[in-house]
């Protein structure tokens, strides 16, 4: 509404053209006196009225000019706009998926035993077992291999899961008759860094006494069947696990010996280890 009124006033002011001739005529009439009035003597001029009329006309022109100038120059009033500040946004809580993980350092998984073997190795303390039923400890070394004795036969091999830092020696025993006494001895020659990491067998753990002993020149594992227990006919595996110095280890100086009793009496076999395939 204000802008429309101001626009009309500005247009009227710009279109106004003062009638100068008419204004001058009015001034002259004022100076000469109104018509039909009695003229005053020539000696006394009505200068006060003339001066007052002139001032009035000049003042009217000045006021009108100022009013027009004010209307033309004055900018239109701007509407007042109220701005409501936006409410601050609340930061969203981090999702559970972005929370740092609390997981620890992964630990290596121990190597699994050969197929058919139990998953928990023996950790029995080192003890000094009694003498073997026959022969001496030296007879478990290679060079005098005798892998079969009647119903009892054997074979030694390095497990294929062995690597440059760890190995497993497998002794496979086969018997066609039950055994009432059994001692299995495994000797791992000390070639550098050889240390016991466990052992296992396919026969029940409660049936055997297990001992591991470091003799300096070799690491010796021994499984002894407890009195009153029996080994059934079939194939059975005894395994010793150990660390060794980095690199490919030579198992040619390792050996095993098996002493047993069966229906025919004392039985004994011995041999070495073939490399892993």
């Amino acid at each position: 509404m204000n802008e429309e009124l101001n626009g009309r006033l500005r247009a009227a002011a710009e279109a106004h053209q003062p009638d100068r001739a008419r204004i001058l005529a009015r001034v002259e009439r004022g100076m000469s006196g109104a018509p039909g009035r009695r003229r005053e003597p020539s000696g006394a001029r009505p200068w006060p009225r003339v001066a007052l009329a002139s001032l009035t006309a000049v003042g009217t022109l000045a006021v009108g000019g100022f009013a027009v100038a004010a209307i033309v120059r004055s900018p239109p009033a701007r509407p007042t706009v109220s701005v409501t500040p936006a409410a601050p946004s609340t930061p969203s809580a981090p999702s559970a998926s972005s929370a740092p993980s609390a997981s620890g350092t992964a630990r290596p998984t121990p190597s699994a035993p050969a197929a058919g073997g139990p998953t928990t190795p023996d950790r029995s303390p080192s003890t000094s077992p009694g003498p073997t039923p026959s022969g001496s400890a030296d007879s478990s070394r290679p060079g005098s291999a005798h892998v079969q004795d009647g119903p009892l036969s054997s074979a030694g091999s390095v497990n294929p899961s062995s690597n440059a830092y760890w190995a497993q020696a497998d002794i496979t025993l086969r018997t066609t008759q039950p055994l009432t006494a059994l001692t299995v001895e495994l000797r791992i020659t000390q070639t550098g860094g050889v240390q016991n990491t466990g052992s296992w067998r396919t026969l029940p753990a409660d049936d055997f006494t297990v001992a591991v002993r470091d003799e300096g020149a070799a690491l010796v594992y021994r499984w002894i069947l407890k009195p009153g227990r029996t080994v059934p006919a079939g194939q059975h595996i005894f395994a010793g696990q150990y660390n060794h110095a980095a690199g490919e280890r030579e198992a040619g100086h390792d050996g095993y010996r098996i002493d047993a009793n069966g229906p025919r009496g004392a039985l004994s076999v011995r041999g070495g280890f073939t490399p892993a395939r």
Side-chain angles (χ1 to χ4, degrees), residues 9 15 50 77 110 122 137-138 147 187 209 224 243 265-266:
L9 292 175
V50 173
D122 294 330
D138 292 341
V147 297
R187 297 181 67 88
T209 298
I224 301 175
N243 289 332

Side-chain angles (χ1 to χ4, degrees), residues 86-262:
S89 60
T90 303
S92 59
S95 62
S97 60
S98 63
S101 173
S103 60
T105 305
R107 298 183 178 179
T109 303
S111 301
T119 57
T120 305
D122 294 330
R123 299 293 182 182
S124 306
S126 298
T127 59
S128 299
T132 58
S134 64
S136 64
D138 292 341
S139 63
S140 64
R141 296 176 182 174
S144 56
H146 179 63
V147 297
Q148 185 168 1
D149 186 1
L152 183 65
S153 62
S154 63
S157 63
V158 178
N159 192 280
S161 61
S162 303
N163 54 50
Y165 304 96
W166 176 91
Q168 176 177 300
D170 295 339
I171 302 171
T172 302
L173 178 153
R174 299 179 182 89
T175 179
T176 59
Q177 298 178 358
L179 303 175
T180 57
L182 178 66
T183 298
V184 180
E185 183 179 279
L186 166 64
R187 297 181 67 88
I188 305 298
T189 303
Q190 182 59 259
T191 55
V194 173
Q195 296 179 343
N196 171 44
T197 61
S199 64
W200 58 272
R201 91 268 86 226
T202 56
L203 291 167
D206 293 339
D207 289 355
F208 288 85
T209 298
V210 183
V212 182
R213 182 175 62 190
D214 189 354
E215 294 183 353
L219 183 64
V220 180
Y221 297 79
R222 187 171 290 150
W223 295 265
I224 301 175
L225 184 67
K226 294 179 180 179
R229 308 298 173 91
T230 302
V231 175
Q235 176 175 298
H236 313 290
I237 298 176
F238 295 80
Q241 300 172 333
Y242 55 93
N243 289 332
H244 60 78
E248 184 177 358
R249 182 180 178 276
E250 175 59 48
H253 297 289
D254 301 340
Y256 68 89
R257 178 186 175 93
I258 301 174
D259 294 297
N261 283 333

